Amino acid sequence: MQSYFGRVNFTLFDKFLATATVRADGSSKFGTNNKYGYFPSFALAYRIFGRSFIPDFFNDLKIRAGWGQTGNQEFPAGSSQAQYEITRDGITRSQYDNPT
């Protein structure tokens, strides 16, 4: 398992916030032609602290919405590789490979 992670944060007028993240996960369990999965995420926020309608007991408050993809490599080892079995008819393929 090998992972890379990158994030960019942007703030405008100390009120509007944006975040973009990309994670790349590599695994030997994936197909031979596609060893990495890429998982982006994005979020936007608005800091509403200090507005007249917000009670004073908040020391910071923001509204945030985000979207992102998650990944999973928890499937059996070898499931993307061709597998063979010995039968009384000879050697037959029991599972086809998935190179992508």
Side-chain angles (χ1 to χ4, degrees), residues 2-93:
Q2 183 179 32
S3 294
Y4 298 99
F5 178 85
R7 173 178 283 167
V8 174
N9 291 318
F10 179 75
T11 304
L12 182 64
F13 305 120
D14 203 34
K15 290 285 182 192
F16 302 96
L17 300 96
T19 302
T21 306
V22 176
R23 190 182 87 237
D25 289 341
S27 176
S28 59
K29 289 184 175 183
F30 295 159
T32 56
N33 294 338
N34 193 10
K35 290 289 185 188
Y36 283 87
Y38 300 96
F39 308 101
S41 68
F42 306 96
L44 297 173
Y46 177 68
R47 183 172 283 147
I48 60 175
F49 172 72
R51 307 288 289 194
S52 61
F53 57 89
I54 301 299
D56 289 336
F57 62 85
F58 288 107
N59 60 5
D60 197 5
L61 183 64
K62 68 180 174 181
I63 296 174
R64 183 175 189 260
W67 172 88
Q69 290 183 335
T70 59
N72 189 351
Q73 66 131 17
E74 295 306 316
F75 49 87
S79 61
S80 66
Q81 300 169 345
Q83 295 180 5
Y84 299 89
E85 63 185 1
I86 299 174
T87 63
R88 62 177 187 205
D89 296 328
I91 298 175
T92 60
R93 183 179 283 192

